[in-house]
Every structure is written in C-alpha cells, then in structure tokens.
Amino acid sequence: MTITILAPLLCGLVLTFVIEALLRPPVAPFWRRPPSTLAVHLGSECLLFALFLLLLQRPWFAVAFIASLQLVVVQASNTKSATLKEPFICQDFEYFLDAVKHPRLYVPFFGIGLAVAASSAGALAIAGFLWLEPSLLSRQGPAALLPPAGLLLIAAALLLPGLKHLPPCRLAPQADLHRLGLFAALWAYGRLALRALPEASRVTAFATPATPPPAPERLPHLVVVQSESFFDPREWHAGLADAPIAGGLLPHFDALRRDALMQGPLQVPAWGANTVRTEAAVLTGLTPEALGIHRFTPYRQFTRGPVASLASRLRGLGYRTVCLHPYPASFYLRHQVMPQLGFDDFLDSRHFRDADRDGQYISDAAVTKKVGTLLDDSDNKPLFVFAITMENHGPLHLERPVPEDSPRLPEATARHLEAADLADLRVYLRHLRNADAMLGRLRERLTPSSPEARPGMLCWYGDHVPILSGVFRRLGEPSGDTCYALWSSRPGVPGAPAMAKPLAASALGMTTLEALLREAGLPQAGQDAAMGDHNDAVGQIQSHQEQE
C-alpha cells in the first residue's frame, strides 16, 4: 500500500478519535474500553475508507467526507442528548430522511443558520476536492482498485472478531455509548435491530379471550387523547401555580381529576420527543423490556403483522375504532401500523384545513371538533377514538412574536429566565391552556344529553414532557413523568380516590379497558396479572437474545 493511500488512511484514523472526543457527555477513552470495541472502531474506518475510495477515487476527499459524516452524527448526538436525554443510536439514521420530509420537526433544533452554513460549506468542499485532487483511476488505471480491495480484507479481519466479542448491550443508550464508543455502539444496536420482534410480543395481554360481547347499548363511547407534551408544570415549578392567569392554568384538568375514576402521574418511556414509544406502550401494553431493542422504534416492527392492542380488543367488542392524528399519515409509518393494531379508520392531516392551524400545527380545537363529528356519525354504535394531538409540538421558538394571549409569568419566575427561554415557556403554556380547553369540551361532548343516550368515557394523558431545555436548566428539571386521568360520564360512579395512583404507560391501556368493561357490567378479574406475566415472559426472551 503506497504512501498515497497510507497517509490519508492514518490521518483519517486519528481524526475519528478526535471527532469522537467531541461527544457530550464524553465517551470513555479508547484505551479504557474492551479491546473488541477498538477492533470495531478501526475496522469501521477501514471499511468506510475503502468504500469511499472506490466511489470517489480521491483518498483525501474520502477522509474529509468520512470525517464530515462523523461530525454530523456527533453534532446530532450532542443535540439529542441536550434536548432528549439520549444520544444518537443506530435507529436514528432513519430520522435523517424524516428531516428532509419534515424539516420543521428537526432542523430548527440544530439551528437553521448552522444547517445552511454546513450545507454550503459541504458543497464548496466537494467542488474543491473534485477540482484539486486528481482521481487515482485516471493516474493509475485499474491498479487503483487494488488498495480498496486490500482495505476491505483488513476491515473484515478486524470487524468479524471484534463484533463477535463485543460486550452485550444494556439498552441504556448513554451508558452503552460511554462503554463501547461511537462506532461499536452503532454496530451493536444496529445488529440487534435486525432481529424480528418475538411473536410472543404480538400476542399481547389484549389478546386474552373476552367474554361474549355485551349488548351494544351498554358500551360507552371511549375517547383516548394523547396530548402533545402535556404535563402539569405546577408540580414541577410551584411558581407557576401563582401565574396571573384568569381561571387558573388547567381548570378543566383539575376538575377532571377531581371527578376521575383514576388519575395520577404517568411514567412514560420518552423525554421531549419519541412520541411513538409512549403511544405503543399505551395501545399494546408492551413494556420496554418486552420490546427489547425495538423499544426505541417500535412501529417499524409493528408494520410486519397484526399486534393485539386496545383497539383490536374494542373492535372485537363491537366498537368502531378510529385513530385521529392531524399530521401526515406516513410519519412514524402510522398509515401502515394503525391497521395492524386494529383501527378501522385513520384520519390524518388531509381531513383538516390550513385554517384549522393554531401556531405551527392543526389546533386542538379542530381535533375536538372532528371528534365531535365522529360521535355524531357513530350511527348508534359504540365508538373508540384515539386522538393524537399536535398543537403543542415544538420547536416553540419558531412562534415569534409571542401571541398576545400567551400567559404572563410571575415576576419571581420570569427574572430567572433569558428572554428567549421565557418566550418559549409562554408559548408552551398558551398551547397547554388550549389543550385544557379541549379536555373541557370533550368532557361536555361525552356527557349524555338524556338518560337514554350512550354514556362516554375519556382517558387523557401526555406523551412526554416538552423540550424546554433552557428553562429546565435555570428552573430545574421535571421528573419526566406526565399525568393521566380516566373519567366516566355514567351517573353514580364514585370520584377518584384522594391519593393519585401512579401508572406506567404500558399499564394505562389495560386499566382503561378494565374500567370500560366494569362500566358495561363485565368485570375482568386478573387482567393486570396477565399483563404482568406476559411482559415478564417476553422480557426474559428478549434479555436472553440480547446476551447472545
């Protein structure tokens, strides 16, 4: 191998460690990691260099290109760690394509100026290398193909034993990244992700045989709302309870909790984003342990076949099942997943108008109106609506100037915040108030107008806490839990117990089903135990697979 190839290869190897050191939180130095991770790191660089050398035929250009890609991953990881408390993992590569399809959801968190500058610099660098560095193929002819072939053999000699002896993943992304390093962690998670979801995970506790369906008139309408970034900020920062807001911050949610069958904090498997993790947990009852590596992107596996869920169970009882989400159906592959979960219909952004927006997205008020239309059109059949809202989705800083009707904060709270962070919090609280108003209108809509009318049930919960990184740095971080409330319009149902009952997101769907069956006079004893036994069994299968 000539100096023409060897010099850029060695420089590239050193550069990969320098760039990896930019990760925040930092990873362990390579000399403190298992030897197998070093073999994977070196083998990965040799593999990438060989492939780009074959493609570009310019060794220094190949080094620069690989370094640029690694810098993008490191910057993405640092941004994700700062906002979502989780580093970049192999499954996140698909989000680069989503960033092209839905740039508003991703690019602003990196900075639009930075994205434009990086793209421009990349274009100039490509043009410069193509102009200044001559092609090896033009200088050496077919002999230029020999070094990449040799590098591929070296890469294989390093990667095959390295991957075989990698330590098992703990599926704690930050800990795994620190322990394994960037390249080895990406390989480890990627290899696990190739394994299919065990069939046992598709037959969830919702597949437990039910008693014969009751008379349809005994079944209440059920509306489950996954409210975007909904949590009670007064429990995080007491000063917000004193905000000068007419009627209080969450009057309808407070009333719902007072009258609820159950309510309390909800432990969700997401922070700031990754809505589908909470969504999948609620609909299927599957815990992160049962999903294994697929806990990070569960819907990709759900596209491959039916998965028993709250929707499929209710459809078996005679319900019409509708998923309502005012965003493109293809996002998170929901257009493929929802039919597999047992939904009869999926209504996405095509069922709304631009005039329905409040801020950046379709308003909660418009979603409420659509739910009301579905209830009116139910044709005397019990209806299950699973509504996934979008109004309070970030990036919040794109809503400038701050609307005049955004809540004002107490001076004691406001003085601790930078102007931009204060504006973000005000925008968030404004949309939170709109979500609260949605809750109030849905409760009214589900209250029967006469004794003969069908009763209604409402389950309300938040998918994750909002992305308010600057605010949390200055005022302290919340626990990460959101909140839930389960309410029935049926007369004579006692109110919620004095003390809140904490729930995991994976238990909320089954809890809702059991409450509904009790409302219909069909108590289902032992469902909690069935859910626990099922998830324990599947979790053991996944744990065994991941140790192999």
Side-chain angles (χ1 to χ4, degrees):
M1 193 176 298
T2 67
I3 192 67
T4 307
I5 302 298
L6 194 58
L9 173 61
L10 293 177
C11 288
L13 287 171
V14 173
L15 197 55
T16 60
F17 289 108
V18 172
I19 295 173
E20 185 186 57
L22 300 176
L23 283 166
R24 294 293 179 270
V27 298
F30 68 86
W31 60 86
R32 294 182 180 174
R33 303 178 210 159
S36 58
T37 65
L38 181 59
V40 170
H41 187 114
L42 297 176
S44 298
E45 174 63 13
C46 289
L47 175 63
L48 290 170
F49 185 71
L51 294 176
F52 280 104
L53 187 59
L54 274 173
L55 177 66
L56 303 172
Q57 287 299 311
R58 291 166 173 84
W60 288 108
F61 188 11
V63 169
F65 207 97
I66 295 167
S68 299
L69 294 178
Q70 188 183 358
L71 277 170
V72 169
V73 171
V74 167
Q75 178 61 32
S77 184
N78 290 348
T79 301
K80 189 183 175 196
S81 293
T83 56
L84 307 184
K85 293 187 161 300
E86 181 181 288
F88 189 93
I89 58 177
C90 187
Q91 288 83 341
D92 292 331
F93 279 113
E94 66 181 88
Y95 290 137
F96 286 125
L97 180 59
D98 283 338
V100 175
K101 295 179 180 177
H102 311 282
R104 177 178 289 273
L105 295 182
Y106 298 94
V107 175
F109 291 108
F110 295 91
I112 295 176
L114 177 61
V116 172
S119 300
S120 302
L124 289 173
I126 290 172
F129 274 108
L130 290 176
W131 177 263
L132 295 173
E133 187 179 13
S135 166
L136 291 179
L137 199 59
S138 64
R139 288 185 294 167
Q140 301 177 5
L145 302 178
L146 295 177
L151 285 169
L152 287 174
L153 293 175
I154 294 172
L158 289 166
L159 283 172
L160 293 177
L163 292 173
K164 182 178 179 181
H165 294 97
L166 274 183
C169 290
R170 300 170 183 170
L171 299 185
Q174 189 58 62
D176 287 331
L177 177 62
H178 176 82
R179 189 168 50 99
L180 303 178
L182 180 61
F183 284 98
L186 292 175
W187 273 101
Y189 276 57
R191 293 171 72 211
L192 286 176
L194 294 176
R195 297 176 177 176
L197 185 71
E199 284 302 312
S201 291
R202 298 186 179 278
V203 186
T204 73
F206 285 107
T208 303
T211 56
E217 62 272 10
R218 297 172 61 187
L219 294 169
H221 291 312
L222 173 63
V223 176
V224 176
V225 178
Q226 179 172 274
S227 184
E228 174 61 42
S229 300
F230 187 94
F231 84 125
D232 188 347
R234 298 167 301 183
E235 298 175 357
W236 151 65
H237 185 70
L240 294 179
D242 302 322
I245 303 170
L249 182 60
L250 298 172
H252 298 293
F253 186 64
D254 291 340
L256 189 76
R257 289 199 290 192
R258 285 194 298 270
D259 299 333
L261 300 172
M262 290 181 62
Q263 57 87 24
L266 186 69
Q267 183 182 1
V268 294
W271 175 291
N274 294 307
T275 295
V276 289
R277 298 181 188 178
T278 303
E279 192 175 311
V282 171
L283 286 173
T284 67
L286 291 172
T287 64
E289 292 73 25
L291 287 166
I293 187 64
H294 304 299
R295 70 185 67 185
F296 302 111
T297 52
Y299 277 5
R300 183 158 294 282
Q301 289 294 310
F302 289 4
T303 62
R304 301 182 179 185
V307 179
S309 75
L310 176 62
S312 63
R313 183 69 177 274
L314 291 174
R315 187 164 67 176
L317 291 173
Y319 277 79
R320 179 193 175 196
T321 56
V322 180
C323 181
L324 175 60
H325 182 45
Y327 205 66
S330 60
F331 192 55
Y332 281 132
L333 302 176
R334 285 190 177 100
H335 64 304
Q336 300 178 43
V337 170
M338 293 306 166
Q340 302 286 15
L341 294 179
F343 284 98
D344 297 315
D345 300 292
F346 181 23
L347 309 183
D348 70 343
S349 55
R350 294 170 297 179
H351 294 79
F352 296 87
R353 305 168 300 161
D354 282 342
D356 292 329
R357 293 178 180 273
D358 186 319
Q360 305 175 71
Y361 306 103
I362 301 299
S363 70
D364 289 352
V367 175
T368 308
K369 185 177 179 180
K370 186 66 67 175
V371 173
T373 301
L374 290 169
L375 290 168
D376 290 337
D377 295 343
S378 60
D379 195 25
N380 203 32
K381 184 177 182 180
L383 176 68
F384 168 48
V385 178
F386 182 66
I388 309 162
T389 70
M390 277 294 291
E391 180 183 328
N392 212 355
H393 201 292
L396 298 170
H397 66 268
L398 294 186
E399 294 193 36
R400 297 291 187 273
V402 176
E404 288 296 323
D405 60 342
S406 297
R408 300 282 175 180
L409 272 68
E411 179 59 31
T413 298
R415 67 168 175 260
H416 292 293
L417 300 174
E418 300 288 341
D421 296 328
L422 177 60
D424 283 355
L425 182 55
R426 290 186 61 209
V427 169
Y428 170 75
L429 294 177
R430 176 180 179 273
H431 292 307
L432 191 69
R433 289 262 295 171
N434 290 347
D436 184 71
M438 173 185 183
L439 188 157
R441 287 191 290 268
L442 285 177
R443 182 176 177 179
E444 290 177 4
R445 192 64 183 75
L446 288 167
T447 300
S449 57
S450 67
E452 296 78 24
R454 188 182 299 279
M457 291 184 67
L458 175 63
C459 176
W460 182 279
Y461 70 94
D463 55 352
H464 50 68
V465 298
I467 297 177
L468 289 168
S469 305
V471 176
F472 294 157
R473 276 196 301 271
R474 290 167 176 82
L475 299 182
E477 288 187 342
S479 66
D481 291 349
T482 62
C483 44
Y484 77 95
L486 179 59
W487 170 84
S488 171
S489 70
R490 194 181 295 274
V493 174
M499 294 189 65
K501 180 178 180 180
L503 274 185
S506 56
L508 182 58
M510 182 58 72
T511 299
T512 301
L513 176 64
E514 289 201 319
L516 181 146
L517 294 175
R518 284 195 298 270
E519 291 284 283
L522 292 171
Q524 292 289 294
Q527 291 286 0
D528 287 339
M531 176 68 80
D533 291 345
H534 175 271
N535 279 320
D536 287 345
V538 177
Q540 290 172 9
I541 294 172
Q542 289 281 56
S543 177
H544 176 71
Q545 289 180 343
E546 285 146 13
Q547 292 293 327
E548 291 179 346

